[in-house]
Amino acid sequence: MRCVESPQTKRLRLIDFYLCFFGKVNRSDLIQHGDIAVATASRSFNAYKERFPDNTVFNESLRAYMKSASFSPAFEHDPEAALRLIAWGQELNSIPVTTYGVSSFATVLDSLSIDIVSQVTRSILNKHCISVLYSSSTSTETRTLTPHSLFKGLGAWHIRAWDSKRRKFLCFRISRILKAEQTDCSYDKTIEDDTLWNRDVVLSVAPHSKHENRNDLAIDLGMEGQYVRNITSNEALAGYVLNDLHVDCTPNASLPPHAFNLQLMNRHELEHVDSIRALVPGFIQNKDDKA
């Protein structure tokens, strides 16, 4: 069982967390995240500098403590927590109460490296490119990426990034990044340049037409009183959404209805969407569309 940390140790851990995954931290970050007073924040920074003097460099122009070239995390951190915070602004806290849920299910966990995740998050937040060794379904090669966003799909964390070699925006699974380091390449592609990320599509789904209890299925899916629900997604993520929802996307609803409770109703309107053709059940996979 993990020992209960003192408030000061929690603040030192928080500073270390920001340096690791954000690359910098200032007093406002600590005050907002830690819900503490200005004086307490100042004392915490002084204590961190005293205990870990080689981890930070103060930047006068930014009025922030920067991750030093010799930085080494002084605490253990959960990379999943960093991704959730940066992607959605969410922080999970455990509360000491009597619980009644199953602690966990047997799952294949996404393997996340702190070193890799911290390189990725810092590149997004501080707008610099990274050179990565990436293992795809067809090869393992070095790529220069300009990432702009994080998302979770197909049970794993991904980044959306400009691939300098292929000259287009693609989605990359973080656990398949074997090495990553910052580069001096200019950050010349931004989220505004990602056409598919900024273009929405509507996914019309309904309870599977071949399910024997379609009415009950509609109730289970929160669709009572209606048989079609429209879901809006950006074009780059549409395939991930349909896959995660287990939507049958075949032309004749030919997948098992007990495994695929939903059916795509506007397939004809979406045949041009690359992420759907590459990822979802019922579309032939085009290898050129995969990262």
Side-chain angles (χ1 to χ4, degrees), residues 34 72 86 170 201 252 262 264:
S72 178
I86 294 168
L170 293 167
V201 293
N252 302 312
L262 292 171
L264 183 64

Side-chain angles (χ1 to χ4, degrees), residues 235-282:
E235 194 168 323
L237 297 185
Y240 291 90
V241 172
L242 292 171
N243 201 304
D244 284 350
L245 291 176
H246 300 287
V247 179
D248 182 346
C249 297
T250 58
N252 302 312
S254 57
L255 294 179
H258 287 277
F260 297 86
N261 287 170
L262 292 171
Q263 177 181 339
L264 183 64
M265 306 304 293
N266 62 333
R267 186 185 196 278
H268 61 287
E269 299 175 351
L270 303 168
E271 292 183 348
H272 68 285
V273 179
D274 289 347
S275 67
I276 294 178
R277 290 190 294 110
L279 293 172
V280 304

Side-chain angles (χ1 to χ4, degrees), residues 109-167:
L109 299 177
D110 204 24
S111 177
L112 295 173
S113 158
I114 289 181
D115 291 339
I116 300 298
V117 170
S118 61
Q119 286 283 1
V120 166
T121 57
R122 292 197 302 267
S123 70
I124 294 173
L125 294 167
N126 300 312
K127 299 189 182 306
H128 61 69
C129 303
I130 51 174
S131 175
V132 306
L133 181 64
Y134 189 77
S135 177
S136 70
S137 58
T138 58
S139 65
T140 299
E141 59 183 340
T142 300
R143 306 188 187 197
T144 300
L145 305 181
T146 306
H148 65 65
S149 296
L150 295 163
F151 69 94
K152 197 167 189 179
L154 306 180
W157 281 98
H158 295 72
I159 55 172
R160 180 72 173 175
W162 172 259
D163 185 334
S164 296
K165 182 177 180 179
R166 298 195 179 186
R167 304 299 299 168

Side-chain angles (χ1 to χ4, degrees), residues 150-185:
L150 295 163
F151 69 94
K152 197 167 189 179
L154 306 180
W157 281 98
H158 295 72
I159 55 172
R160 180 72 173 175
W162 172 259
D163 185 334
S164 296
K165 182 177 180 179
R166 298 195 179 186
R167 304 299 299 168
K168 62 180 178 179
F169 286 97
L170 293 167
C171 300
F172 296 88
R173 183 168 173 157
I174 294 177
S175 61
R176 291 184 182 172
I177 300 176
L178 307 179
K179 294 181 182 178
E181 61 182 5
Q182 182 177 342
T183 73
D184 295 328
C185 298

Side-chain angles (χ1 to χ4, degrees), residues 12-13 15-20 23-25 45 48-58 65-75 77:
L12 298 182
R13 177 186 291 276
I15 292 172
D16 199 67
F17 179 91
Y18 267 87
L19 290 171
C20 183
K24 60 185 177 182
V25 60
F45 278 117
Y48 187 89
K49 287 186 296 179
E50 183 177 342
R51 288 187 59 181
F52 315 108
D54 297 328
N55 270 3
T56 63
V57 176
F58 188 72
Y65 291 93
M66 313 297 293
K67 168 184 168 291
S68 70
S70 59
F71 174 84
S72 178
F75 297 85
H77 300 295

